[in-house]
């Protein structure tokens, strides 16, 4: 089925100029040996004034596409234009709300919203006023001083929305924002968002929402983009030209729903759009290694005459069995220092640079690369947002416990400290049991993560 043309402008809701233009985006994952194409030749335009829904089977690359559009991830090939300009790095005008919104457990609702404004350099007085206004808008007036654990799931997600809206994003990206909520909370929050959007009481210019709920897409969107998988691609676009608020039982509503179901069913033999309970986004744990040993491995690879070294030989020479070697290789790969293919390890140009670098340069390289890891970025954001840029170990553990089982949370904290220390990003006072930023510049305001409304 060829993509349908964009919806004809209606007097009521004429889409404006393009805000986002996705051009021939292809995303591959994996290494040379085993490349997997998650997205292939994606083309998509989102215009000002539009609410676009992305639907499609699990694993067709919806979340990947959102990350590419907001600049949290760079596509393997192709590009994204924002207001006609090729995007580089994180788009400061965009925000993502994830399915489960990570709030700071030790901050009140009000402070959780203000945090996003603090990173953007908004002064205390204005922060308070803006946070209060938004909390009222999403229906949380009266809960400003409550803590996340005292709230229902729906109220937590509302707090998340308020935090995302606080920075007044031009482009609001929502990744299954209602799917972790019970039916009533989801319905209420959906209604609240639609009211803010259709009444234009938020400065957001376009919304891009991933959903597995077709009724939700037909209820909210001006256009529904149906994706298929194997590889992830745009199958068709279906305009929804019904006025808001939409009546779910109307013939037209049901007709559009049928069209969307049919388009998705054509893509999935089991006719099953995303399962009702997709796994929540989880932060990659840090590998169990010492960075000093990784240096040893990289030096060894550099010293070898050959470009590629068999990993069994490497292990034997370093006196490491495969169980000890694999996490090192994995870490080297994640950090971009080496690649693995067909049982061989090879240094990347960055790895070669590291091998030859002075101690100071090595630290700088590690600091640059480590900052790209979501868990490290999350830790730096947390510290940056905290008073005096320090936090008790207990508070970090409490936040980590939302992502990892208790023992793993402890391990991850130890690794965060070890890696952060090694790269000169953060330090831990083991007597006072606190972690602090080594230098305030370690976390850059406007970095992805909290600043963009995301979380662990
Ligand atoms: P969706 O959101 O539509 O369920 P995703 O964008 O999360 O799809 O994932 C698309 C495909 O790419 C899936 O097969 C997933 O396993 C894979 N994938 C996603 N992120 C990564 C990654 N960082 N590394 C390797 N594979 C990934
Ligand atoms: Mg997803």
């Amino acid at each position: 089925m060829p993509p349908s043309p964009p919806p004809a402008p209606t007097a009521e809701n004429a889409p404006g100029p393009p805000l986002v233009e996705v051009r021939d985006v292809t995303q591959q994952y994996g290494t040379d040996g085993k490349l997997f194409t998650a997205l292939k030749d994606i083309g998509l335009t989102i215009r000002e004034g539009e609410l676009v829904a992305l639907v499609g089977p699990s694993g067709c690359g919806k979340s990947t596409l959102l990350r590419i559009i907001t600049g949290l991830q760079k596509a393997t090939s192709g590009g994204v234009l924002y207001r006609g300009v090729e995007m580089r790095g994180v788009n400061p005008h965009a925000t993502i709300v994830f399915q489960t919104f990570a709030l700071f457990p030790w901050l009140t609702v009000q402070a959780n919203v203000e945090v996003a404004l603090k990173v953007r350099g908004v002064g205390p007085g204005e922060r308070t006023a803006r946070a209060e206004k938004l909390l009222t808008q999403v229906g949380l007036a009266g809960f400003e001083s409550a803590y996340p654990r005292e709230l229902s799931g729906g109220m937590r997600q509302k707090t998340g929305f308020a935090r995302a809206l606080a920075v007044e994003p031009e482009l609001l990206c929502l990744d299954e924002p209602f799917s972790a909520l019970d039916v009533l909370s989801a319905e209420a929050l959906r209604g609240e968002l639609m009211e803010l959007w259709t009444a234009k009481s938020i400065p957001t210019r376009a919304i891009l929402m991933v959903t597995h709920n077709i009724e939700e897409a037909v209820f909210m969107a001006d256009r529904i983009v149906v994706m298929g998988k194997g590889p992830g691609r745009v199958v068709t676009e279906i305009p929804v030209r019904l006025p808001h608020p939409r009546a779910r039982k109307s013939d037209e509503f049901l007709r559009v729903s049928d069209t969307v179901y049919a388009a998705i069913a054509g893509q999935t033999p089991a006719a099953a759009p995303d399962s009702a309970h997709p796994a929540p986004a989880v932060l990659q744990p840090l590998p169990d290694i010492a960075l000093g040993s990784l240096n040893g491995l990289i030096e060894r690879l550099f010293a070898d005459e050959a470009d590629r070294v068999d990993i069994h030989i490497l292990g034997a020479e370093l006196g490491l069995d495969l169980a000890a070697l694999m996490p090192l290789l994995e870490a080297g790969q994640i950090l971009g220092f080496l690649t693995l293919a067909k049982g061989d390890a090879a240094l990347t140009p960055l790895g070669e640079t590291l091998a030859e670098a002075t101690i100071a340069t090595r630290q700088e390289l590690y600091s640059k690369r480590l900052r790209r890891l979501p868990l490290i970025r999350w830790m730096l954001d947390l510290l940056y947002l905290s008073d005096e840029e320090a936090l008790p170990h207990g508070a970090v553990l409490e936040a980590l416990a939302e992502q990892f089982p208790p023992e793993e949370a402890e391990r991850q904290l130890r690794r965060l400290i070890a890696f952060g220390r090694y790269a000169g990003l953060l330090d831990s006072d083991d007597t006072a049991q606190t972690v602090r930023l080594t230098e305030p510049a370690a976390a850059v305001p406007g970095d992805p993560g909290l600043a963009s409304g995301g979380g662990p």
Side-chain angles (χ1 to χ4, degrees):
M1 218 180 326
S4 320
T10 60
E12 191 197 337
N13 195 12
L19 194 62
V20 176
E21 291 163 84
V22 178
R23 299 234 169 124
D24 289 329
V25 158
T26 291
Q27 177 68 54
Q28 292 182 320
Y29 287 120
T31 43
D32 303 355
K34 256 199 340 219
L35 274 182
F36 167 75
T37 305
L39 291 174
K40 186 159 170 52
D41 300 335
I42 303 286
L44 178 67
T45 299
I46 300 159
R47 296 174 174 276
E48 283 192 43
E50 273 192 310
L51 194 165
V52 175
L54 273 183
V55 301
S58 196
C60 71
K62 303 180 295 293
S63 297
T64 298
L65 185 56
L66 278 201
R67 286 198 301 272
I68 291 171
I69 284 176
T70 51
L72 292 177
Q73 177 176 336
K74 192 176 168 355
T76 310
S77 66
V80 178
L81 303 188
Y82 189 80
R83 293 195 180 282
V85 180
E86 180 93 22
M87 245 175 54
R88 278 172 213 290
V90 177
N91 183 344
H93 307 291
T95 290
I96 298 196
V97 175
F98 298 100
Q99 178 188 98
T100 49
F101 207 96
L103 300 172
F104 294 107
W106 59 85
L107 292 182
T108 62
V109 164
Q110 170 89 22
N112 262 293
V113 176
E114 284 193 31
V115 139
L117 295 166
K118 183 181 167 191
V119 209
R120 303 252 164 156
V122 179
E126 197 189 336
R127 285 208 297 263
T128 308
R130 262 161 76 175
E132 272 173 9
K133 181 170 169 229
L134 275 160
L135 286 169
T136 305
Q137 281 181 324
V138 299
L140 279 180
F143 289 93
E144 291 86 352
S145 50
Y147 286 88
R149 64 175 167 278
E150 300 166 339
L151 303 179
S152 68
M155 289 160 86
R156 285 193 216 180
Q157 192 72 345
K158 282 184 182 184
T159 311
F161 265 92
R163 183 152 97 188
L165 293 171
V167 299
E168 309 200 325
E170 282 184 338
L171 173 66
L172 180 62
C173 293
L174 307 171
D175 198 348
E176 307 194 12
F178 310 112
S179 61
L181 302 180
D182 62 88
V183 177
L184 288 181
S185 307
E187 186 61 23
L189 190 50
R190 220 178 265 136
E192 245 129 6
L193 178 66
M194 285 314 284
E195 227 174 280
L196 293 174
W197 169 246
T198 53
K200 299 192 164 52
S201 36
I202 44 175
T204 295
R205 311 308 286 267
I207 298 180
L208 177 59
M209 176 180 74
V210 169
T211 177
H212 63 265
N213 181 330
I214 291 171
E215 192 180 71
E216 178 175 292
V218 179
F219 184 70
M220 298 173 71
D222 299 302
R223 185 154 49 100
I224 298 173
V225 175
V226 179
M227 292 179 67
K229 70 176 180 183
R233 64 205 188 280
V234 174
V235 174
T236 188
E237 300 194 11
I238 298 165
V240 190
R241 297 197 188 85
L242 309 174
H244 290 286
R246 292 175 179 163
R248 287 192 167 86
K249 298 270 184 294
S250 76
D251 289 348
E252 280 183 310
F253 192 99
L254 297 173
R255 192 185 48 75
V256 178
S257 305
D258 285 349
T259 312
V260 180
Y261 270 112
I264 295 180
Q267 301 311 309
T268 48
D274 255 11
S275 77
H277 301 288
V282 182
L283 286 181
Q284 274 293 326
L286 298 175
D288 180 16
I289 60 149
L291 293 179
S293 319
L294 179 57
N295 281 333
L297 173 88
I298 285 168
E299 283 161 12
R300 168 65 193 75
L301 280 171
F302 188 69
D304 203 287
E305 298 277 287
D307 284 344
R308 332 189 58 88
V309 182
D310 185 289
I311 60 174
H312 292 281
I313 296 174
L314 202 56
E317 288 187 1
L318 293 167
L320 297 171
D321 62 15
L322 220 49
L325 184 62
M326 285 321 285
L328 282 178
L329 290 169
E330 185 201 342
Q333 245 184 325
I334 296 174
L335 293 171
F337 296 142
L338 57 86
T339 56
L340 288 177
K342 303 191 182 86
D344 290 345
L347 285 184
T348 61
L350 193 69
E352 289 173 2
T353 311
L354 185 85
E356 291 188 296
T358 59
I359 290 179
T361 310
R362 277 190 182 182
Q363 194 182 54
E364 205 180 303
L365 278 175
Y366 270 109
S367 130
K368 276 212 181 89
R369 301 304 294 188
L370 282 170
R371 263 187 251 185
R372 294 176 162 216
L373 303 185
L375 196 60
I376 299 268
R377 209 164 58 204
W378 170 85
M379 179 79 259
L380 296 175
D381 274 344
L382 271 192
L383 290 171
Y384 177 75
L385 296 167
S386 308
D387 290 336
E388 305 181 4
E389 301 181 341
L391 283 172
H393 286 184
V396 179
L397 277 175
E398 196 180 337
L400 282 170
E402 296 197 349
Q403 287 284 326
F404 302 105
E407 282 153 39
E408 184 59 26
E410 298 247 3
R411 278 197 289 273
Q412 291 300 320
L413 174 60
R414 280 201 299 276
R415 279 173 216 163
L416 276 166
I417 292 171
F419 286 21
R421 260 186 186 149
Y422 194 90
L425 291 168
L426 55 86
D427 207 347
S428 165
D429 180 334
D430 294 335
T431 317
Q433 293 274 297
T434 53
V435 199
R436 66 170 52 254
L437 284 183
T438 309
E439 33 167 340
V444 183
D447 250 13
L450 294 167
S452 57

